[in-house]
């Protein structure tokens, strides 16, 4: 789906405009008390089924709520936007200016573990289009075509007392239904500024994020000290055990310190 607007906006200005709209985004997904506006799913018999705390389910619902708001934001600020039509394609949203600037935005959500830590984001693949940057496979535009790659992150608190509860209510009881999440924090950062030096969870070949809330909000990942070029080079050469085994190679490094030694500190 493409919305045709358009104006030339540089990366830092684009980021500033987006952050200035956080209050609107938050008001659309949370009540004045900070509770999630979603109470459950309703059927034709007016039964409401409470939402599970499955992170994939929550992430998808949050995305569904935010996409129309982001479309409205784009229209007001004279952008053209493209929403990806495929679940496994990158990015979720492409913003374009009439001067040809392209900005990639992935929508990511995660939950707080404590006041200081979150469970973390996955920040996209470090193989495929990330390494073959003129490729059009599984990506809206080739990676190199984008002026910057951003993450719109949503952090929330889970309501622990109903973590394992799934109940059914009638529509007239909606006021008695507890929201399963609350206390939202938004962040908008360049991907490389919130990336860790470890893959995301599971065996997928995805870049993991840092987990400290303040570092995420301020965009001060370990890569910031060494620059975007280091982030790109680190993840373009990173090998998992399976990847190393497939090419009969040793793993060159497992973290940023080992990488810097591998590169003899030459990249700045």
């Amino acid at each position: 789906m493409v919305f045709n607007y358009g104006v030339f906006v540089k990366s830092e200005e684009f980021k500033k405009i987006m952050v200035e709209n956080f209050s609107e985004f938050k008001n659309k997904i949370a009540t004045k008390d900070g509770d999630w506006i979603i109470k459950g799913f309703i059927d034709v018999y007016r039964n409401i089924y409470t939402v599970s705390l499955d992170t994939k389910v929550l992430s998808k619902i949050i995305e569904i709520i935010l996409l129309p708001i982001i479309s409205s934001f784009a229209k007001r600020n004279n952008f053209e936007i493209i929403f990806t039509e495929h679940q496994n394609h990158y990015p979720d949203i492409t913003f374009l200016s009439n001067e040809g600037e392209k900005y990639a935005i992935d929508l990511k959500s995660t939950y707080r573990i404590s006041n200081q830590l979150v469970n973390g984001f996955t920040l996209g693949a470090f193989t495929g289009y990330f390494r073959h940057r003129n490729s059009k496979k599984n990506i809206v535009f080739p990676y190199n075509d984008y002026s910057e790659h951003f993450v719109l992150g949503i952090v929330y608190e889970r309501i622990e007392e109903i973590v394992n509860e799934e109940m059914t209510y009638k529509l007239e009881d909606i006021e008695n239904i507890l929201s399963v999440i609350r206390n939202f924090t938004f962040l908008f950062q360049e991907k490389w500024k919130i990336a860790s030096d470890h893959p995301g969870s599971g065996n997928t070949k995805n870049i993991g994020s840092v987990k400290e809330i303040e570092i995420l909000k301020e965009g001060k990942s370990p890569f910031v000290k060494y620059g975007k070029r280091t982030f790109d080079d680190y993840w373009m050469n990173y090998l998992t055990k399976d990847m190393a085994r497939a090419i009969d190679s040793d793993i060159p490094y497992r973290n940023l310190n080992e990488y810097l030694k591998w590169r003899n500190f030459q990249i700045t």
Side-chain angles (χ1 to χ4, degrees), residues 12-129:
E12 284 303 314
E13 184 179 352
F14 176 69
K15 183 176 179 179
K16 180 181 178 183
I17 293 170
M18 182 66 77
V19 171
E20 286 173 349
N21 282 265
F22 276 1
S23 59
E24 178 190 358
F25 296 167
K26 188 174 181 179
N27 289 340
K28 293 294 185 179
I29 68 170
T31 67
K32 292 181 180 179
D33 294 327
D35 294 324
W36 199 23
I37 62 168
I38 300 299
K39 297 296 183 178
F41 304 99
I42 188 169
D43 65 20
V44 295
Y45 304 109
R46 300 166 64 90
N47 296 309
I48 296 177
Y49 304 89
T50 54
V51 184
S52 77
L53 278 169
D54 184 293
T55 53
K56 291 183 179 180
V57 173
L58 296 176
S59 176
K60 190 61 181 179
I61 298 173
I62 291 171
E63 177 183 321
I64 290 170
I65 298 172
L66 285 179
L67 289 184
I69 303 167
I70 292 171
S71 295
S72 177
F73 162 82
K75 185 175 182 178
R76 291 196 311 272
N77 289 280
N78 301 311
F79 289 104
E80 176 185 348
I81 57 174
I82 301 173
F83 295 130
T84 183
E85 297 178 358
H86 305 281
Q87 184 70 31
N88 64 336
H89 282 204
Y90 174 85
D92 293 326
I93 310 170
T94 299
F95 274 70
L96 304 95
S97 75
N98 58 9
E99 296 291 335
E101 298 289 308
K102 297 181 180 73
Y103 299 110
I105 299 180
D106 257 358
L107 301 180
K108 300 292 182 180
S109 60
T110 190
Y111 59 90
R112 288 179 179 83
I113 295 174
S114 68
N115 290 332
Q116 293 80 35
L117 297 175
V118 301
N119 190 51
F121 303 113
T122 55
L123 303 179
F126 57 80
T127 56
Y129 56 75

Side-chain angles (χ1 to χ4, degrees), residues 14-15 18-19 22 90-93 103-110 120-124 143 148-155 186-195 207-209 216-217 231:
F14 176 69
K15 183 176 179 179
M18 182 66 77
V19 171
F22 276 1
Y90 174 85
D92 293 326
I93 310 170
Y103 299 110
I105 299 180
D106 257 358
L107 301 180
K108 300 292 182 180
S109 60
T110 190
F121 303 113
T122 55
L123 303 179
Y143 201 90
E148 191 56 82
H149 299 261
F150 290 101
V151 172
L152 175 56
I154 302 97
V155 177
F186 282 79
L187 61 98
F188 191 70
Q189 289 291 349
E190 294 87 341
K191 179 162 64 174
W192 71 276
K193 290 186 177 180
I194 61 172
I207 300 167
S209 77
L216 287 167
K217 290 167 62 176
F231 163 78

Side-chain angles (χ1 to χ4, degrees), residues 194-206:
I194 61 172
S196 75
D197 57 357
H198 291 87
S201 60
N203 296 319
T204 56
K205 298 179 179 67
N206 285 307

